[in-house]
Amino acid sequence: MIKSEKTINGTKWIETIQINAEERATLEDQYGIDKDIIEYVTDNDESTNYVYDINEDDQLFIFLAPYALDKDALRYITQPFGMLLHKGVLFTFNQSGIPEVNTALYSALDNPEVKSVDAFILETLFTVVVSFIPISRAITKKRNYLDKMLNRKTKNSDLVSLSYLQQTLTFLSSAVQTNLSELDRLPKTHFGVGADQDKIDLFEDVQIEGEQVQRMFEIETQVVDRIDHTLNSLANNNLNDTMKFLTIWSLTMAVPTIISGFYGMNVKLPLAGMQYAWMLTLGISVALIVAMLIMLKFWRKM
């Protein structure tokens, strides 16, 4: 979808969302955007990047934003969105239809302090970076809940939820880190050349917010990994206890089988002619079981 033109203090802004082949051709023919650029900026596998074409005086920004697969289960990945300054016109590309990107764009548009297209771009990036924070807080809340539940009784559903958290943290932590690396690089690029104080302040605001989000995800990743490690240790310990109990129980049950099997042979055996010989075999079995348990206890196997 190519939305109607808007203006940002005299600069045209053309917003695109999930464009199809026909709309790609329109961008090529009507606005003279190179086909390779369109394919690059709409590629869902692209990572964060900034490109300046000195010949065309074009600037291309690609950043990563959170994309919800299942908000209730906190399953998130990241998808790229792009901004292209081409011949004095700003084009934005949200090929995945990310709600956070749409919110960021219109938040920057409605901001009365945004008085240039550069400020619009930086305000958009700032809002996208901030959009990671509610997800981090939701992860913290979910992690605290799982920590309590797993300490009481481990359920498969809780283990699956913990796995989802780890996957989400992996995607988002990587995205935040790459975004921050690009944000740190932007002031040194053509986009930051000759920046006035207002633009420098915007750079710093976005960088500071990016660093804060990065720390939040680093802490969450460490805590969730620690919970997972502790849970695995508890599971292994419980398994060892179960195997130890089963081993001792098997040894205990083996003693009466041996004694009864020995006295069940169809040959003459000592004491077999006694009236209460079966009680004798029972007593021998009990004595051997007690002796074996004492020996295992002495050897610290129990």
Side-chain angles (χ1 to χ4, degrees):
M1 176 192 303
I2 300 177
K3 293 195 172 184
S4 58
E5 293 184 2
K6 304 175 185 64
T7 58
I8 306 168
N9 291 316
T11 301
K12 288 184 179 180
W13 169 34
I14 299 174
E15 180 187 8
T16 73
I17 301 176
Q18 296 176 324
I19 57 175
N20 54 33
E22 183 179 346
E23 290 165 338
R24 291 169 188 252
T26 300
L27 292 175
E28 292 178 43
D29 299 337
Q30 186 172 343
Y31 298 100
I33 303 177
D34 189 79
K35 179 180 179 181
D36 293 337
I37 294 296
I38 296 176
E39 290 180 354
Y40 179 72
V41 79
T42 56
D43 185 355
N44 287 334
D45 295 323
E46 283 300 329
S47 184
T48 306
N49 198 9
Y50 168 81
V51 179
Y52 172 60
D53 187 341
I54 192 172
N55 296 320
E56 298 290 338
D57 195 29
D58 289 349
Q59 298 183 75
L60 175 62
F61 306 79
I62 296 180
F63 281 83
L64 296 174
Y67 182 79
L69 298 177
D70 185 345
K71 280 190 177 182
D72 294 333
L74 284 178
R75 295 192 66 188
Y76 283 85
I77 58 174
T78 56
Q79 291 291 314
F81 71 97
M83 293 180 283
L84 173 66
L85 280 171
H86 174 71
K87 295 180 180 180
V89 180
L90 175 65
F91 297 84
T92 60
F93 298 86
N94 185 7
Q95 193 62 17
S96 298
I98 308 169
E100 287 78 5
V101 172
N102 295 332
T103 300
L105 290 170
Y106 283 93
S107 175
L109 182 65
D110 296 336
N111 190 338
E113 297 182 0
V114 173
K115 300 177 180 179
S116 68
V117 67
D118 289 353
F120 177 85
I121 291 172
L122 289 174
E123 281 291 339
T124 299
L125 296 181
F126 179 85
T127 307
V128 169
V129 169
V130 170
S131 70
F132 284 87
I133 294 179
I135 302 174
S136 176
R137 290 174 177 164
I139 290 174
T140 301
K141 184 177 180 181
K142 185 70 172 180
R143 180 252 299 167
N144 288 332
Y145 167 78
L146 289 175
D147 191 21
K148 294 178 181 178
M149 295 304 296
L150 292 173
N151 285 332
R152 295 175 185 174
K153 186 177 181 181
T154 304
K155 298 180 181 178
N156 288 339
S157 58
D158 293 333
L159 293 176
V160 171
S161 296
L162 184 63
S163 175
Y164 286 161
L165 284 189
Q166 289 179 310
Q167 294 174 27
T168 294
L169 285 170
T170 299
F171 283 115
L172 299 188
S173 297
S174 176
V176 168
Q177 185 175 358
T178 54
N179 281 350
L180 183 59
S181 297
E182 194 60 36
L183 290 172
D184 291 339
R185 191 173 75 92
L186 273 184
K188 305 171 187 176
T189 65
H190 178 79
F191 184 68
V193 173
D196 56 18
Q197 189 57 47
D198 289 340
K199 192 173 182 180
I200 292 173
D201 290 341
L202 282 174
F203 274 129
E204 291 179 352
D205 289 344
V206 179
Q207 288 172 317
I208 290 171
E209 203 66 27
E211 291 171 356
Q212 177 185 346
V213 173
Q214 183 185 36
R215 286 193 296 270
M216 292 174 69
F217 278 106
E218 284 178 351
I219 293 172
E220 281 305 315
T221 300
Q222 292 174 5
V223 174
V224 171
D225 286 345
R226 179 59 61 183
I227 292 174
D228 181 63
H229 177 74
T230 302
L231 183 63
N232 287 334
S233 297
L234 289 173
N236 290 333
N237 187 58
N238 291 337
L239 179 61
N240 290 337
D241 289 343
T242 301
M243 293 304 297
K244 182 169 65 175
F245 171 78
L246 292 175
T247 301
I248 293 174
W249 184 256
S250 299
L251 292 173
T252 302
M253 292 296 99
V255 172
T257 303
I258 294 171
I259 300 300
S260 60
F262 181 77
Y263 273 91
M265 292 187 296
N266 192 23
V267 295
K268 266 194 171 184
L269 295 171
L271 310 177
M274 293 179 57
Q275 184 178 1
Y276 298 103
W278 68 274
M279 296 186 64
L280 179 62
T281 59
L282 182 62
I284 294 173
S285 298
V286 172
L288 289 176
I289 290 173
V290 172
M292 183 185 65
L293 293 177
I294 292 174
M295 290 174 63
L296 290 174
K297 186 72 173 178
F298 179 75
W299 291 340
R300 298 183 180 179
K301 299 296 183 182
M302 294 180 61

